[in-house]
Amino acid sequence: MITLAIQKKGRLASASMELLNDCGIHLHNTGSDKLKTAAVNFPVELLFLRDDDIPRYVEDGIADIGIVGDNVVLESGAGIERILPLGFGKCRMSLALPKYVDYNGIHDLDGKRIATSYDHILKKFLKAKGIRAEIHKISGSVEITPGIDMADAIFDIVSTGSTLISNGLKEVETILESEASVYAHRELSDEKKATINDLCFRIQSVNTAKDHKYILLNVPNEKLETVCRILPGMKSPTIMPLGEAGWSSVHSVIQEDRFWELIQQLKEAGAESLLVTDIEKMIL
Ligand code: ATP
Ligand code: ZN
């Protein structure tokens, strides 16, 4: 049995629960105020926590693994191991200045006041760059501090950048890219390691499937070679003759992020009746 810590409420909470569900892990009925619950069909117990507490729980071994943002783990300084990035909760941590202030490089921050909730990450970064600045740690609404003359710059989480723009700020340096990842306690029994491997295998199958589409298309035989060259596939595409002479059906798997580009190329190469479907699980 392993203990997995996930965020109780917030940006990572529903994506974490959905991921477990996609992995075929079903939970005992969870009331909204529950701190703990066990799975019905997998040896895992869930702990619902504030995301800031997860690194410490995993470091202390109260939880064996946790799903938490890389930024939160770095800020905590916890000695835990990142075992699998998950592809959701993506954001970056950046320095931003009022938009009318000239910026010529990181040394412009020398002697300035920087407001942040992430003082450890910022301190480490400034030290590495040899910059002396005054760090003002505040717990929220960092983006309003330059407007009320509490700070000259901020260091904060950015995802789309619209919060910065609406507060009259511009992003000048990205210090860190972050996403939700699975982190593990440093010393685990072999039995726990095996259960965690099993869970990570399921997660990878689900996530790889999400990044791919299954595609079927009809091609006149004389254009088969051109079409097959466009399709990357897992190995090579499956080709089957159609009822109509001179035509074949081609089946393959393509990456989601290349989808539109490939579809266009396939049409131009003579493919017809394209059918695209989601893949539920994919094991490479
Ligand atoms: P908690 O109550 O659990 O402490 P929180 O308010 O600290 O929650 P959330 O706002 O739910 O945290 O964010 C959780 C994580 O989501 C962040 O630490 C970060 O890794 C990620 N994230 C992704 N995009 C954003 C964003 N635009 N703003 C804040 N966090 C983001
Ligand atoms: Zn938090």
Side-chain angles (χ1 to χ4, degrees):
M1 173 77 89
I2 55 165
T3 305
L4 162 65
I6 64 171
Q7 190 187 29
K8 184 177 172 63
K9 225 167 77 186
R11 285 172 207 267
L12 307 182
S14 59
S16 305
M17 290 294 277
E18 207 174 289
L19 181 61
L20 293 175
N21 187 50
D22 290 346
C23 288
I25 296 172
H26 303 301
L27 306 174
H28 279 294
N29 248 343
T30 46
S32 58
D33 278 337
K34 258 201 160 169
L35 173 69
K36 257 190 193 184
T37 191
V40 195
N41 56 354
F42 194 85
V44 65
E45 181 174 56
L46 261 66
L47 271 186
F48 300 100
L49 302 171
R50 285 204 51 195
D51 69 340
D52 315 62
D53 295 333
I54 293 176
R56 200 62 62 211
Y57 273 66
V58 175
E59 186 176 44
D60 293 347
I62 297 166
D64 301 306
I65 53 173
I67 295 179
V68 62
D70 298 324
N71 56 322
V72 172
V73 175
L74 238 91
E75 179 62 24
S76 74
I80 56 181
E81 197 186 340
R82 185 178 193 249
I83 55 171
L84 188 64
L86 295 174
F88 61 86
K90 285 193 174 173
C91 58
R92 55 190 190 273
M93 300 218 58
S94 298
L95 283 159
L97 296 177
K99 63 171 187 266
Y100 54 82
V101 174
D102 257 0
Y103 182 76
N104 301 302
I106 194 77
H107 284 280
D108 287 3
L109 294 171
D110 249 323
K112 295 289 194 309
R113 300 164 300 166
I114 310 175
T116 188
S117 311
Y118 290 83
D119 58 317
H120 287 124
I121 296 175
L122 181 60
K123 222 173 265 170
K124 216 166 157 188
F125 172 79
L126 293 177
K127 194 171 171 211
K129 296 278 176 189
I131 312 249
R132 282 167 181 276
E134 248 178 67
I135 298 177
H136 292 246
K137 183 173 182 180
I138 55 170
S139 59
S141 305
V142 169
E143 65 282 356
I144 65 162
T145 56
I148 54 173
D149 198 29
M150 249 181 78
D152 305 302
I154 67 161
F155 173 59
D156 205 4
I157 292 179
V158 183
S159 51
T160 61
S162 58
T163 311
L164 293 183
I165 292 168
S166 61
N167 283 283
L169 300 168
K170 62 177 176 188
E171 192 174 351
V172 294
E173 300 277 350
T174 300
I175 293 180
L176 179 79
E177 304 272 355
S178 172
E179 65 190 281
S181 301
V182 180
Y183 283 84
H185 182 66
R186 281 263 163 86
E187 275 155 33
L188 292 165
S189 67
D190 288 345
E191 192 188 331
K192 285 187 175 184
K193 277 186 194 157
T195 308
I196 291 166
N197 280 344
D198 186 359
L199 177 63
C200 287
F201 174 77
R202 292 189 189 197
I203 293 175
Q204 274 170 312
S205 310
V206 168
N207 282 348
T208 312
K210 275 188 194 148
D211 292 342
H212 292 80
K213 297 276 180 202
Y214 191 80
I215 175 169
L216 300 96
L217 39 96
N218 294 341
V219 191
N221 287 345
E222 69 272 15
K223 293 183 177 159
L224 260 179
E225 212 186 309
T226 326
V227 165
C228 290
R229 241 183 283 127
I230 299 168
L231 285 169
M234 290 216 272
K235 275 206 168 66
S236 58
T238 309
I239 302 170
M240 285 178 279
L242 282 186
E244 191 178 335
W247 282 76
S248 296
S249 165
V250 177
H251 298 205
S252 190
V253 170
I254 61 177
Q255 259 172 278
E256 166 91 86
D257 57 359
R258 295 199 56 209
F259 177 75
W260 291 111
E261 172 202 338
L262 287 178
I263 293 294
Q264 198 53 37
Q265 287 179 27
L266 290 168
K267 277 173 63 189
E268 279 164 16
E272 288 180 20
S273 311
L274 283 86
L275 209 70
V276 181
T277 69
D278 285 339
I279 302 169
E280 196 178 310
K281 309 274 187 304
M282 186 162 150
I283 292 127
L284 294 173

